[in-house]
Amino acid sequence: MRFTGSKFYAICSTAFSTALTTGLLLSTTSAVAQETATPAAAVSQEVASQEVGPQPYRQMVDRTIEFLRVRGQQSDGSFSGEVGIGPTGLVAAGLLDVGVPADDPMVKKALEHLLKNVRPDGGIYANASKHRNYETSIALLAIGKANQDGRYKDIIDKAEKFLKEIQWDESESIDASDTAYGGAGYGSHSRPALSNPSFLFETLHSPRNGPEDEPIQKALIFLSRCLYLQSP
């Protein structure tokens, strides 16, 4: 099972709309890489040469990066920070995936903004956020990509534990027969819906959590019901 595809919400923000372009490029590259077990950088070159040619593809990426660098980022390191930390996490993850290094000033400031929102419960979300699942999941995608030297391991471990506790299961006094089982809401403990847990599922579906991991299996039960498939 691959939790990839179109998972991005639209908001009225030029910066975030541009970041979405980077995110979609990231999504295409990552999806092909997962299916072929080919490094993302190699897939990026292959996709570019087959679909739009290497030069237009790279120009598109470079212009997006430049826009974000010149006009997209706010002084505190955020992107569209007025709506929470989600857009900042999405931009940082996209930038890292198209080759911008973690020590690049723009990426570094974005990561610092995310890290300022690490909470005692392990979540990574804005103060008084009603979207704790969504924000933690996206922040974790970005932080995970920047964790090449293991410096964020403790933060990642605690954030994953936080996300697993948000998932609807026996801790909410329901069992596998309940239609909400295995799902997740935005994070204010609202009812699960297919759009809400998508980032959570993708975050948990990583080298750190194999397909037999219990939260992944619970998620598959929820997803299979949404797709009218027989549950595992």
Side-chain angles (χ1 to χ4, degrees):
M1 176 66 73
R2 294 283 189 261
F3 302 119
T4 57
S6 178
K7 308 175 183 70
F8 310 118
Y9 74 106
I11 63 173
C12 297
S13 165
T14 302
F16 186 48
S17 297
T18 305
L20 183 58
T21 302
T22 304
L24 290 173
L25 293 174
L26 155 65
S27 179
T28 301
T29 299
S30 298
V32 177
Q34 289 180 1
E35 292 298 327
T36 62
T38 304
V43 173
S44 177
Q45 293 180 347
E46 182 178 349
V47 171
S49 62
Q50 290 183 2
E51 295 186 1
V52 295
Q55 188 172 359
Y57 172 84
R58 192 63 236 180
Q59 287 176 345
M60 183 190 306
V61 172
D62 290 344
R63 290 182 66 183
T64 299
I65 293 171
E66 186 62 19
F67 177 88
L68 293 169
R69 192 182 301 280
V70 174
R71 298 177 59 186
Q73 193 168 36
Q74 297 172 356
S75 59
D76 62 357
S78 68
F79 293 86
S80 301
E82 65 277 5
V83 298
I85 68 169
T88 304
L90 178 61
V91 173
L95 291 170
L96 288 163
D97 215 72
V98 295
V100 182
D103 60 358
D104 178 275
M106 175 170 54
V107 176
K108 186 176 179 180
K109 286 181 66 176
L111 290 171
E112 288 173 350
H113 180 74
L114 295 175
L115 293 171
K116 288 178 181 177
N117 287 277
V118 174
R119 304 297 169 179
D121 61 7
I124 309 171
Y125 52 86
N127 186 40
S129 173
K130 294 183 179 180
H131 307 93
R132 297 176 301 155
N133 164 26
Y134 166 76
E135 292 187 348
T136 300
S137 296
I138 295 183
L140 191 52
L141 285 175
I143 293 170
K145 292 178 185 297
N147 191 44
Q148 299 303 316
D149 57 3
R151 69 177 68 183
Y152 303 125
K153 181 181 184 303
D154 185 56
I155 292 173
I156 291 171
D157 289 345
K158 290 179 179 178
E160 284 191 349
K161 182 175 183 293
F162 172 82
L163 291 175
K164 291 175 181 179
E165 290 175 351
I166 281 181
Q167 193 174 29
W168 282 64
D169 54 19
E170 289 81 4
S171 62
E172 281 73 33
S173 299
I174 63 173
D175 59 29
S177 65
D178 194 294
T179 56
Y181 189 85
Y186 275 119
S188 57
H189 218 67
S190 57
R191 61 174 178 78
L194 186 57
S195 61
N196 296 342
S198 58
F199 277 110
L200 180 148
F201 296 158
E202 181 165 347
T203 301
L204 293 180
H205 187 255
S206 70
R208 299 181 300 274
N209 301 290
E212 299 305 318
D213 191 71
E214 187 176 5
I216 295 295
Q217 290 300 309
K218 292 176 180 178
L220 290 174
I221 292 174
F222 180 78
L223 288 171
S224 66
R225 287 172 174 155
C226 294
L227 297 171
Y228 296 99
L229 299 176
Q230 184 175 355
S231 299

